[in-house]
């Protein structure tokens, strides 16, 4: 599967990215991240923005103080692809890393 391959209909979203809400019909996945404060949310966005540039796959997202809302979809394919899974997995790992670092 290439990095921009469209995901099969039976893809195990729950097993791979259990914290994300997936809407197959709308071809998008969403998640809200909540951090301890604005600086931590901004650090998360900074790391994720760098990774998005590496992948050339950019999230639709917004930030309000300590909350970052994310929507992923591969617009060029009009589908969910492996790029969305890579980005979601990276975001999950980064959020966990920042949470662990702050303890």
């Amino acid at each position: 599967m290439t990095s921009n391959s469209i995901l099969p209909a039976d893809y195990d979203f729950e097993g791979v990215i259990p914290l994300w809400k997936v809407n197959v019909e709308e071809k998008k996945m969403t998640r809200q991240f909540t951090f301890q404060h604005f600086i931590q949310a901004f650090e998360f966005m900074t790391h994720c923005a760098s990774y998005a540039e590496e992948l050339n796959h950019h999230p639709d997202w917004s930030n309000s103080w300590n909350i970052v809302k994310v929507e992923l979809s591969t617009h060029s394919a009009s589908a969910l692809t492996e790029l969305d899974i890579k980005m979601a997995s990276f975001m999950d790992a980064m959020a966990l890393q920042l949470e662990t670092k702050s303890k």
Side-chain angles (χ1 to χ4, degrees):
M1 185 179 292
T2 62
S3 63
N4 62 348
S5 294
I6 294 174
L7 298 173
D10 63 347
Y11 189 82
D12 183 16
F13 290 101
E14 181 67 30
V16 178
I17 51 165
L19 302 174
W20 289 77
K21 293 179 183 166
V22 178
N23 187 321
V24 177
E25 293 79 30
E26 293 185 16
K27 302 168 185 146
K28 68 179 180 180
M29 57 179 70
T30 59
R31 179 161 180 211
Q32 178 173 299
F33 295 88
T34 303
F35 298 95
Q36 290 185 348
H37 43 71
F38 173 76
I39 294 297
Q40 194 176 51
F42 189 79
E43 183 177 357
F44 169 79
M45 293 181 78
T46 301
H47 288 294
C48 292
S50 292
Y51 187 66
E53 279 296 302
E54 285 179 35
L55 285 183
N56 192 27
H57 186 63
H58 305 91
D60 293 320
W61 58 4
S62 64
N63 166 244
S64 179
W65 193 64
N66 68 329
I67 295 172
V68 178
K69 294 180 182 178
V70 180
E71 182 178 294
L72 296 174
S73 180
T74 304
H75 302 293
S76 61
S78 295
L80 291 172
T81 70
E82 191 64 32
L83 288 171
D84 300 305
I85 299 302
K86 285 182 178 183
M87 193 72 218
S89 297
F90 180 87
M91 289 178 150
D92 287 346
M94 182 54 56
L96 183 60
Q97 181 180 329
L98 290 169
E99 179 183 311
T100 303
K101 178 178 148 180
S102 68
K103 290 183 179 181

XYZ file of all heavy atoms in Angstrom:
836
model
N 0.855 -1.190 0.000
C 0.000 0.000 0.000
C 0.894 1.243 0.000
O 1.750 1.395 0.854
C -0.891 -0.042 1.260
C -1.902 1.073 1.309
S -2.974 1.028 2.789
C -3.932 -0.432 2.477
N 0.735 2.095 -0.985
C 1.507 3.329 -1.009
C 0.937 4.307 -0.003
O -0.185 4.145 0.471
C 1.506 3.968 -2.422
O 0.176 4.290 -2.770
C 2.131 3.051 -3.440
N 1.685 5.348 0.295
C 1.284 6.256 1.367
C -0.019 7.000 1.084
O -0.668 7.469 2.002
C 2.397 7.257 1.655
O 2.625 8.064 0.528
N -0.412 7.103 -0.171
C -1.675 7.786 -0.454
C -2.747 6.824 -0.960
O -3.707 7.231 -1.582
C -1.465 8.932 -1.445
C -0.961 8.470 -2.790
O -0.561 7.322 -2.943
N -0.954 9.352 -3.758
N -2.568 5.530 -0.650
C -3.551 4.532 -1.060
C -4.869 4.750 -0.330
O -4.891 5.009 0.875
C -3.056 3.115 -0.754
O -1.940 2.804 -1.543
N -5.947 4.596 -1.064
C -7.280 4.684 -0.460
C -7.472 3.455 0.425
O -7.134 2.335 0.045
C -8.360 4.769 -1.557
C -8.208 6.091 -2.325
C -9.749 4.635 -0.965
C -9.103 6.245 -3.528
N -8.002 3.687 1.615
C -8.183 2.601 2.566
C -9.346 1.705 2.144
O -10.357 2.197 1.642
C -8.440 3.175 3.958
C -7.283 4.017 4.508
C -7.686 4.696 5.807
C -6.044 3.160 4.729
N -9.211 0.397 2.354
C -10.288 -0.521 1.976
C -11.527 -0.326 2.854
O -11.440 0.178 3.975
C -9.665 -1.907 2.197
C -8.531 -1.694 3.130
C -8.055 -0.287 2.915
N -12.669 -0.762 2.360
C -13.933 -0.592 3.080
C -13.919 -1.274 4.445
O -14.578 -0.821 5.374
C -15.082 -1.128 2.228
N -13.160 -2.349 4.582
C -13.120 -3.083 5.853
C -11.924 -2.689 6.730
O -11.548 -3.424 7.631
C -13.109 -4.589 5.584
C -11.865 -5.053 4.829
O -11.112 -4.194 4.296
O -11.646 -6.277 4.762
N -11.349 -1.528 6.491
C -10.191 -1.079 7.280
C -10.565 -1.001 8.764
O -11.642 -0.522 9.117
C -9.697 0.289 6.777
C -8.390 0.701 7.400
C -7.191 0.221 6.903
C -8.360 1.543 8.507
C -5.981 0.584 7.481
C -7.155 1.908 9.090
C -5.971 1.420 8.568
O -4.768 1.780 9.156
N -9.669 -1.461 9.629
C -9.916 -1.513 11.077
C -9.541 -0.185 11.742
O -8.546 -0.092 12.455
C -9.138 -2.670 11.698
C -9.399 -2.820 13.184
O -10.386 -2.259 13.698
O -8.587 -3.512 13.847
N -10.352 0.842 11.518
C -10.088 2.151 12.128
C -10.036 2.046 13.650
O -9.158 2.608 14.285
C -11.164 3.167 11.734
C -11.108 3.582 10.296
C -11.989 3.047 9.365
C -10.175 4.511 9.863
C -11.935 3.440 8.040
C -10.117 4.908 8.537
C -10.996 4.367 7.618
N -10.995 1.322 14.228
C -11.087 1.194 15.692
C -9.811 0.580 16.276
O -9.346 1.001 17.328
C -12.309 0.354 16.071
C -12.517 0.188 17.557
C -12.889 1.483 18.276
O -13.511 2.356 17.661
O -12.552 1.609 19.468
N -9.244 -0.377 15.586
C -8.026 -1.029 16.073
C -6.780 -0.181 15.903
O -5.850 -0.259 16.701
N -6.745 0.644 14.864
C -5.549 1.419 14.535
C -5.566 2.807 15.174
O -4.552 3.268 15.701
C -5.383 1.532 12.996
C -4.178 2.375 12.634
C -5.270 0.146 12.379
N -6.697 3.490 15.117
C -6.804 4.845 15.678
C -8.085 4.946 16.525
O -9.023 5.648 16.163
C -6.770 5.925 14.570
C -7.797 5.604 13.478
C -5.377 6.101 13.990
C -8.090 6.768 12.557
N -8.115 4.258 17.655
C -9.354 4.151 18.443
C -9.889 5.466 19.009
O -11.070 5.557 19.320
C -8.971 3.191 19.575
C -7.484 3.303 19.673
C -7.004 3.563 18.284
N -9.062 6.489 19.123
C -9.495 7.757 19.713
C -10.109 8.717 18.695
O -10.574 9.800 19.060
C -8.328 8.427 20.441
C -7.703 7.585 21.559
C -6.460 8.272 22.116
C -8.719 7.313 22.656
N -10.124 8.339 17.445
C -10.643 9.187 16.373
C -12.062 8.778 16.008
O -12.409 7.603 16.037
C -9.745 9.081 15.142
C -8.424 9.753 15.336
C -7.357 9.275 16.048
C -8.032 11.028 14.843
N -6.324 10.174 16.023
C -6.709 11.265 15.285
C -8.660 11.985 14.066
C -6.016 12.425 14.974
C -7.958 13.150 13.741
C -6.650 13.353 14.205
N -12.879 9.761 15.658
C -14.213 9.508 15.126
C -14.081 9.477 13.610
O -13.617 10.446 13.010
C -15.185 10.600 15.547
C -15.462 10.610 17.031
C -16.415 11.723 17.400
C -16.596 11.742 18.906
N -17.241 12.964 19.377
N -14.480 8.368 13.021
C -14.349 8.199 11.576
C -15.733 8.222 10.947
O -16.638 7.521 11.389
C -13.625 6.882 11.239
C -13.535 6.692 9.731
C -12.236 6.858 11.872
N -15.872 9.050 9.926
C -17.111 9.115 9.161
C -16.762 8.718 7.722
O -16.271 9.551 6.949
C -17.715 10.521 9.221
C -19.073 10.579 8.577
O -19.310 9.945 7.550
N -19.965 11.353 9.169
N -16.976 7.442 7.418
C -16.602 6.916 6.110
C -17.402 7.585 5.001
O -16.869 7.894 3.938
C -16.768 5.380 6.069
C -16.452 4.819 4.692
C -15.865 4.734 7.114
N -18.687 7.840 5.249
C -19.537 8.459 4.228
C -19.040 9.866 3.866
O -19.033 10.248 2.701
C -20.996 8.541 4.691
C -21.682 7.202 4.847
C -21.319 6.489 6.155
O -21.028 7.176 7.166
O -21.291 5.255 6.152
N -18.631 10.631 4.875
C -18.126 11.988 4.630
C -16.628 12.013 4.334
O -16.050 13.071 4.100
C -18.448 12.889 5.825
C -19.925 13.142 5.989
C -20.240 14.126 7.106
O -19.327 14.848 7.570
O -21.417 14.172 7.521
N -16.004 10.836 4.388
C -14.580 10.682 4.061
C -13.700 11.575 4.929
O -12.824 12.294 4.436
C -14.346 10.955 2.576
C -15.147 10.049 1.683
C -15.124 10.501 0.259
C -16.046 9.610 -0.538
N -16.723 10.272 -1.592
N -13.947 11.512 6.256
C -13.131 12.309 7.168
C -13.046 11.632 8.524
O -13.868 10.782 8.864
C -13.702 13.715 7.323
C -15.029 13.783 8.049
C -15.505 15.227 8.177
C -16.832 15.303 8.904
N -17.288 16.685 9.040
N -12.029 12.013 9.262
C -11.872 11.560 10.637
C -11.580 12.781 11.491
O -10.937 13.732 11.034
C -10.777 10.502 10.755
C -9.417 10.924 10.245
S -8.133 9.683 10.425
C -8.625 8.474 9.255
N -12.096 12.774 12.715
C -11.950 13.940 13.583
C -11.512 13.514 14.978
O -11.775 12.396 15.431
C -13.270 14.726 13.700
O -14.282 13.863 14.218
C -13.708 15.281 12.361
N -10.859 14.450 15.645
C -10.490 14.255 17.046
C -10.267 15.622 17.672
O -9.798 16.561 17.015
C -9.221 13.428 17.176
C -8.822 13.250 18.642
C -7.889 12.137 18.926
N -7.649 12.156 20.370
C -6.546 11.788 20.951
N -5.550 11.304 20.227
N -6.415 11.859 22.260
N -10.598 15.707 18.951
C -10.308 16.912 19.734
C -9.248 16.548 20.769
O -9.415 15.574 21.501
C -11.565 17.421 20.430
C -11.297 18.644 21.291
C -12.580 19.228 21.846
O -13.439 19.632 21.087
N -12.684 19.267 23.160
N -8.185 17.332 20.794
C -7.115 17.162 21.774
C -7.237 18.267 22.809
O -7.412 19.434 22.451
C -5.741 17.265 21.103
C -5.460 16.169 20.113
C -5.828 16.296 18.781
C -4.812 15.007 20.507
C -5.563 15.296 17.860
C -4.544 13.995 19.597
C -4.916 14.140 18.271
N -7.125 17.914 24.076
C -7.169 18.902 25.151
C -5.860 18.834 25.924
O -5.456 17.759 26.380
C -8.359 18.642 26.101
O -9.563 18.646 25.327
C -8.440 19.715 27.173
N -5.219 19.978 26.049
C -3.923 20.063 26.721
C -4.048 20.853 28.025
O -5.099 21.428 28.312
C -2.896 20.711 25.776
C -2.679 19.893 24.540
C -3.377 20.175 23.375
C -1.817 18.822 24.545
C -3.204 19.396 22.228
C -1.630 18.036 23.417
C -2.328 18.328 22.251
N -2.976 20.903 28.793
C -3.009 21.603 30.079
C -3.105 23.107 29.908
O -3.680 23.788 30.754
C -1.789 21.240 30.915
C -1.833 19.818 31.412
C -0.673 19.513 32.347
O 0.274 20.279 32.459
N -0.759 18.373 33.010
N -2.531 23.642 28.826
C -2.518 25.085 28.623
C -2.202 25.385 27.159
O -1.888 24.487 26.373
C -1.520 25.774 29.554
C -0.205 25.045 29.653
N 0.707 25.002 28.629
C 0.325 24.321 30.665
C 1.761 24.293 29.000
N 1.551 23.856 30.223
N -2.265 26.640 26.811
C -2.061 27.080 25.436
C -0.680 26.716 24.891
O -0.555 26.259 23.755
C -2.271 28.600 25.326
C -1.925 29.142 23.974
C -2.787 28.966 22.898
C -0.738 29.822 23.764
C -2.462 29.459 21.640
C -0.407 30.314 22.508
C -1.276 30.128 21.447
N 0.360 26.904 25.690
C 1.721 26.634 25.211
C 1.868 25.167 24.812
O 2.499 24.854 23.800
C 2.775 27.034 26.279
C 2.774 28.549 26.497
C 4.168 26.539 25.906
C 3.175 29.367 25.269
N 1.287 24.270 25.580
C 1.355 22.846 25.252
C 0.578 22.558 23.961
O 1.050 21.800 23.106
C 0.806 22.025 26.415
C 1.127 20.549 26.318
C 0.649 19.796 27.531
O -0.508 19.928 27.921
N 1.533 19.014 28.126
N -0.570 23.176 23.793
C -1.345 23.009 22.561
C -0.560 23.541 21.361
O -0.520 22.913 20.301
C -2.687 23.728 22.677
N 0.101 24.665 21.548
C 0.887 25.265 20.467
C 2.095 24.393 20.127
O 2.439 24.222 18.955
C 1.325 26.679 20.858
C 1.937 27.440 19.727
C 1.149 28.034 18.763
C 3.310 27.552 19.621
C 1.710 28.729 17.706
C 3.890 28.243 18.570
C 3.088 28.830 17.608
N 2.724 23.813 21.143
C 3.858 22.904 20.906
C 3.387 21.695 20.089
O 4.057 21.264 19.145
C 4.474 22.458 22.233
C 5.697 21.585 22.059
C 6.359 21.197 23.380
O 5.918 21.644 24.455
O 7.333 20.427 23.315
N 2.233 21.160 20.441
C 1.642 20.046 19.696
C 1.448 20.436 18.230
O 1.847 19.712 17.314
C 0.300 19.670 20.336
C -0.533 18.723 19.526
C -0.262 17.363 19.516
C -1.617 19.196 18.782
C -1.054 16.486 18.773
C -2.405 18.331 18.046
C -2.122 16.978 18.034
N 0.861 21.594 18.004
C 0.602 22.040 16.637
C 1.896 22.270 15.862
O 1.977 21.953 14.677
C -0.268 23.293 16.646
C -1.677 23.034 17.148
S -2.739 24.489 17.130
C -3.156 24.561 15.382
N 2.910 22.777 16.532
C 4.196 23.022 15.880
C 4.825 21.716 15.397
O 5.265 21.604 14.245
C 5.149 23.763 16.831
O 4.547 25.000 17.207
C 6.501 24.019 16.192
N 4.858 20.710 16.274
C 5.418 19.411 15.885
C 4.595 18.770 14.769
O 5.156 18.222 13.814
C 5.479 18.469 17.088
C 6.531 18.825 18.080
N 7.880 18.767 17.826
C 6.422 19.253 19.365
C 8.563 19.141 18.881
N 7.694 19.444 19.844
N 3.277 18.851 14.887
C 2.408 18.254 13.876
C 2.516 18.982 12.531
O 2.459 18.352 11.478
C 0.964 18.234 14.361
S 0.708 17.102 15.750
N 2.708 20.286 12.572
C 2.869 21.052 11.332
C 4.140 20.630 10.604
O 4.141 20.491 9.375
C 2.894 22.546 11.634
N 5.213 20.397 11.345
C 6.468 19.937 10.725
C 6.283 18.573 10.074
O 6.741 18.332 8.954
C 7.587 19.873 11.760
O 7.927 21.161 12.186
N 5.604 17.679 10.772
C 5.357 16.346 10.217
C 4.435 16.433 8.996
O 4.645 15.733 7.999
C 4.763 15.425 11.283
C 4.640 13.996 10.823
C 5.774 13.229 10.552
C 3.395 13.411 10.647
C 5.669 11.911 10.124
C 3.275 12.098 10.215
C 4.413 11.357 9.957
O 4.308 10.054 9.523
N 3.440 17.287 9.051
C 2.538 17.473 7.921
C 3.308 17.930 6.678
O 3.021 17.489 5.563
C 1.443 18.476 8.274
N 4.288 18.794 6.883
C 5.123 19.241 5.765
C 5.927 18.086 5.190
O 6.064 17.953 3.976
C 6.061 20.375 6.202
C 5.405 21.726 6.226
C 4.966 22.187 4.844
O 5.820 22.286 3.933
O 3.765 22.451 4.673
N 6.476 17.227 6.067
C 7.228 16.052 5.606
C 6.345 15.138 4.752
O 6.779 14.634 3.723
C 7.741 15.234 6.796
C 8.914 15.823 7.519
C 9.334 14.962 8.703
O 9.237 13.713 8.609
O 9.756 15.545 9.715
N 5.107 14.930 5.205
C 4.172 14.066 4.478
C 3.539 14.757 3.280
O 2.980 14.091 2.419
C 3.021 13.633 5.398
C 3.249 12.591 6.453
C 1.942 12.282 7.185
C 3.824 11.313 5.872
N 3.586 16.081 3.275
C 2.831 16.892 2.317
C 1.344 16.540 2.431
O 0.648 16.287 1.442
C 3.336 16.712 0.886
C 2.749 17.761 -0.043
O 2.404 18.860 0.379
N 2.609 17.405 -1.306
N 0.898 16.499 3.684
C -0.494 16.164 3.996
C -0.901 17.009 5.195
O -0.427 16.793 6.300
C -0.626 14.675 4.309
C -2.036 14.240 4.494
N -2.976 14.313 3.478
C -2.688 13.726 5.557
C -4.135 13.851 3.922
N -3.990 13.493 5.192
N -1.757 17.979 4.975
C -2.021 19.006 5.992
C -3.415 18.873 6.584
O -4.392 18.728 5.854
C -1.818 20.387 5.366
C -0.452 20.502 4.762
N -0.210 20.187 3.444
C 0.730 20.848 5.301
C 1.080 20.361 3.193
N 1.674 20.754 4.314
N -3.487 18.938 7.916
C -4.789 18.813 8.578
C -5.620 20.089 8.456
O -5.083 21.177 8.289
C -4.406 18.567 10.045
C -3.101 19.282 10.201
C -2.398 19.117 8.879
N -6.918 19.915 8.557
C -7.811 21.043 8.802
C -7.938 21.074 10.315
O -8.334 20.076 10.922
C -9.180 20.809 8.151
C -9.097 20.803 6.635
O -8.355 21.636 6.086
O -9.769 19.963 6.012
N -7.567 22.198 10.924
C -7.589 22.235 12.384
C -7.826 23.636 12.896
O -7.716 24.613 12.155
C -6.326 21.639 12.973
C -5.002 22.244 12.578
C -4.782 23.339 11.795
C -3.713 21.774 12.933
N -3.434 23.570 11.654
C -2.751 22.616 12.347
C -3.263 20.716 13.699
C -1.382 22.446 12.503
C -1.893 20.540 13.855
C -0.978 21.394 13.253
N -8.188 23.688 14.184
C -8.369 24.977 14.838
C -7.885 24.843 16.276
O -7.826 23.748 16.835
C -9.842 25.409 14.807
O -10.630 24.507 15.562
N -7.544 25.986 16.838
C -7.038 26.028 18.206
C -7.769 27.114 18.974
O -7.940 28.224 18.493
C -5.532 26.309 18.186
C -4.983 26.695 19.541
O -4.512 27.813 19.706
N -5.052 25.809 20.508
N -8.206 26.760 20.179
C -8.769 27.725 21.105
C -8.186 27.408 22.474
O -8.509 26.371 23.070
C -10.297 27.620 21.128
O -10.819 28.549 22.051
N -7.290 28.242 22.906
C -6.525 28.117 24.146
C -5.880 26.744 24.250
O -4.878 26.498 23.620
C -7.365 28.471 25.382
C -6.494 28.648 26.599
C -5.536 29.601 26.767
C -6.452 27.829 27.754
N -4.898 29.436 27.963
C -5.451 28.343 28.611
C -7.153 26.711 28.178
C -5.131 27.780 29.841
C -6.846 26.165 29.411
C -5.853 26.695 30.222
N -6.431 25.810 25.036
C -5.787 24.513 25.240
C -6.417 23.392 24.404
O -6.071 22.233 24.573
C -5.827 24.120 26.719
C -7.225 23.821 27.209
O -8.206 24.392 26.736
N -7.338 22.934 28.173
N -7.303 23.733 23.498
C -8.009 22.729 22.698
C -7.607 22.858 21.225
O -7.588 23.947 20.668
C -9.533 22.885 22.842
C -9.928 22.587 24.288
C -10.274 21.978 21.866
C -11.366 22.882 24.601
N -7.289 21.704 20.636
C -6.991 21.635 19.210
C -7.976 20.655 18.593
O -8.016 19.485 18.977
C -5.543 21.174 18.940
C -5.277 21.075 17.434
C -4.537 22.120 19.601
N -8.787 21.140 17.659
C -9.743 20.294 16.937
C -9.147 19.986 15.570
O -8.692 20.892 14.871
C -11.084 20.999 16.780
C -11.797 21.218 18.101
C -13.116 21.930 17.897
C -13.793 22.184 19.234
N -15.065 22.910 19.069
N -9.175 18.705 15.205
C -8.535 18.262 13.968
C -9.525 17.490 13.107
O -10.313 16.690 13.613
C -7.333 17.335 14.280
C -6.667 16.862 12.996
C -6.328 18.019 15.191
N -9.456 17.746 11.813
C -10.191 16.961 10.820
C -9.194 16.537 9.753
O -8.451 17.371 9.232
C -11.304 17.797 10.200
C -12.137 17.038 9.192
C -13.265 17.874 8.628
O -14.178 18.232 9.404
O -13.208 18.187 7.416
N -9.175 15.253 9.459
C -8.280 14.726 8.428
C -9.085 14.103 7.300
O -10.094 13.432 7.536
C -7.354 13.654 9.019
C -6.368 14.106 10.088
C -5.633 12.905 10.669
C -5.384 15.108 9.519
N -8.620 14.327 6.087
C -9.182 13.741 4.878
C -8.177 13.990 3.765
O -7.460 14.988 3.796
C -10.519 14.397 4.528
O -11.053 13.812 3.361
N -8.103 13.079 2.828
C -7.225 13.298 1.683
C -8.074 13.893 0.570
O -8.745 13.181 -0.179
C -6.544 11.992 1.241
O -5.856 11.441 2.369
C -5.542 12.249 0.115
N -8.063 15.209 0.501
C -8.924 15.919 -0.447
C -8.606 15.559 -1.890
O -9.513 15.424 -2.710
C -8.811 17.432 -0.231
C -9.174 17.852 1.162
N -10.454 17.749 1.665
C -8.415 18.365 2.168
C -10.481 18.184 2.912
N -9.251 18.554 3.242
N -7.320 15.375 -2.195
C -6.932 15.069 -3.576
C -7.468 13.718 -4.045
O -7.655 13.511 -5.238
C -5.415 15.108 -3.720
O -4.817 14.134 -2.881
N -7.721 12.797 -3.104
C -8.257 11.478 -3.454
C -9.749 11.378 -3.186
O -10.367 10.358 -3.496
C -7.525 10.399 -2.659
N -10.325 12.422 -2.574
C -11.730 12.392 -2.149
C -12.027 11.121 -1.356
O -13.021 10.431 -1.595
C -12.669 12.486 -3.347
O -12.519 13.741 -3.978
N -11.107 10.819 -0.412
C -11.228 9.581 0.364
C -10.330 9.660 1.595
O -9.533 10.591 1.737
C -10.801 8.399 -0.494
N -10.468 8.669 2.447
C -9.514 8.486 3.535
C -8.405 7.592 3.002
O -8.667 6.593 2.323
C -10.192 7.835 4.741
C -11.212 8.717 5.450
C -11.979 7.923 6.501
C -10.529 9.914 6.091
N -7.159 7.986 3.280
C -6.022 7.238 2.769
C -5.030 6.949 3.894
O -5.192 7.407 5.024
C -5.280 8.023 1.659
O -4.618 9.146 2.254
C -6.218 8.472 0.556
N -3.993 6.226 3.525
C -2.926 5.905 4.467
C -2.286 7.185 5.018
O -1.814 7.199 6.157
C -1.878 5.025 3.778
C -0.869 4.419 4.722
C -1.462 3.443 5.731
O -2.456 2.762 5.417
O -0.917 3.367 6.849
N -2.285 8.263 4.264
C -1.753 9.536 4.769
C -2.525 10.011 5.997
O -1.935 10.528 6.954
C -1.815 10.613 3.680
C -0.821 10.475 2.532
C -1.154 11.476 1.431
C 0.598 10.674 3.024
N -3.839 9.835 5.984
C -4.660 10.232 7.130
C -4.312 9.395 8.356
O -4.222 9.919 9.470
C -6.148 10.096 6.796
C -6.539 10.979 5.622
O -6.295 12.198 5.691
O -7.070 10.440 4.636
N -4.092 8.105 8.155
C -3.725 7.219 9.264
C -2.358 7.609 9.817
O -2.162 7.674 11.038
C -3.731 5.741 8.812
C -5.130 5.325 8.342
C -3.221 4.833 9.923
C -6.229 5.486 9.379
N -1.403 7.889 8.939
C -0.068 8.300 9.392
C -0.141 9.587 10.206
O 0.477 9.707 11.261
C 0.875 8.486 8.201
C 1.343 7.217 7.587
C 2.310 7.499 6.454
C 2.829 6.211 5.861
N 3.823 6.431 4.818
N -0.906 10.543 9.725
C -1.015 11.823 10.419
C -1.725 11.647 11.754
O -1.282 12.178 12.779
C -1.752 12.840 9.538
C -1.654 14.269 10.022
S 0.011 14.940 9.756
C 0.187 15.891 11.250
N -2.813 10.888 11.776
C -3.555 10.648 13.018
C -2.679 9.923 14.038
O -2.659 10.290 15.223
C -4.815 9.833 12.727
N -1.944 8.928 13.599
C -1.071 8.173 14.502
C 0.025 9.059 15.073
O 0.355 8.974 16.264
C -0.460 6.976 13.770
O -1.475 6.080 13.367
N 0.598 9.915 14.229
C 1.620 10.841 14.704
C 1.034 11.792 15.743
O 1.643 12.049 16.782
C 2.218 11.638 13.538
C 3.282 12.600 13.979
C 4.594 12.192 14.097
C 2.968 13.924 14.297
C 5.586 13.066 14.523
C 3.940 14.805 14.730
C 5.257 14.375 14.841
N -0.141 12.319 15.467
C -0.783 13.249 16.400
C -1.079 12.579 17.738
O -0.856 13.174 18.794
C -2.059 13.821 15.787
C -1.795 14.787 14.668
S -3.342 15.380 13.945
C -2.829 17.010 13.426
N -1.564 11.346 17.690
C -1.822 10.609 18.929
C -0.534 10.450 19.739
O -0.517 10.670 20.949
C -2.411 9.231 18.624
C -3.856 9.285 18.150
O -4.512 10.341 18.294
O -4.327 8.252 17.632
N 0.540 10.052 19.062
C 1.816 9.847 19.742
C 2.367 11.153 20.309
O 2.888 11.182 21.431
C 2.824 9.214 18.776
N 2.246 12.234 19.557
C 2.747 13.527 20.019
C 1.954 14.007 21.229
O 2.531 14.517 22.197
C 2.684 14.550 18.883
C 3.240 15.921 19.253
S 4.931 15.928 19.933
C 5.837 15.088 18.635
N 0.644 13.862 21.206
C -0.182 14.271 22.349
C 0.201 13.470 23.587
O 0.332 14.035 24.681
C -1.655 14.079 22.025
N 0.420 12.172 23.430
C 0.811 11.327 24.551
C 2.185 11.737 25.081
O 2.405 11.819 26.293
C 0.814 9.861 24.132
C 1.135 8.854 25.213
C 0.118 8.926 26.359
C 1.155 7.454 24.627
N 3.100 12.028 24.178
C 4.449 12.459 24.577
C 4.389 13.761 25.382
O 5.060 13.892 26.407
C 5.320 12.640 23.335
C 6.737 13.050 23.633
C 7.554 13.224 22.350
O 7.296 12.547 21.360
N 8.515 14.110 22.381
N 3.604 14.705 24.943
C 3.485 15.971 25.649
C 2.799 15.798 27.006
O 3.174 16.438 27.988
C 2.733 16.999 24.803
C 3.503 17.505 23.587
C 2.591 18.305 22.672
C 4.716 18.322 23.997
N 1.821 14.910 27.050
C 1.128 14.638 28.317
C 2.089 14.005 29.316
O 2.136 14.390 30.485
C -0.051 13.688 28.058
C -0.829 13.319 29.299
C -1.932 12.320 28.977
O -2.683 12.557 28.011
O -2.031 11.311 29.711
N 2.887 13.052 28.845
C 3.858 12.366 29.700
C 4.946 13.328 30.170
O 5.350 13.309 31.331
C 4.492 11.182 28.933
O 3.448 10.323 28.502
C 5.447 10.418 29.812
N 5.393 14.188 29.267
C 6.448 15.166 29.572
C 6.002 16.147 30.664
O 6.814 16.592 31.472
C 6.785 15.936 28.283
C 7.818 17.004 28.408
C 8.059 17.622 27.034
C 8.407 19.072 27.125
N 8.631 19.680 25.820
N 4.717 16.452 30.713
C 4.245 17.455 31.656
C 3.974 16.877 33.053
O 3.654 17.612 33.967
C 2.976 18.120 31.131
O 1.907 17.204 31.111
N 4.109 15.581 33.214
C 3.845 14.964 34.524
C 5.081 14.929 35.382
O 6.176 15.034 34.986
C 3.298 13.550 34.349
C 1.895 13.570 33.796
C 1.343 12.191 33.695
C -0.074 12.265 33.172
N -0.718 10.994 33.066
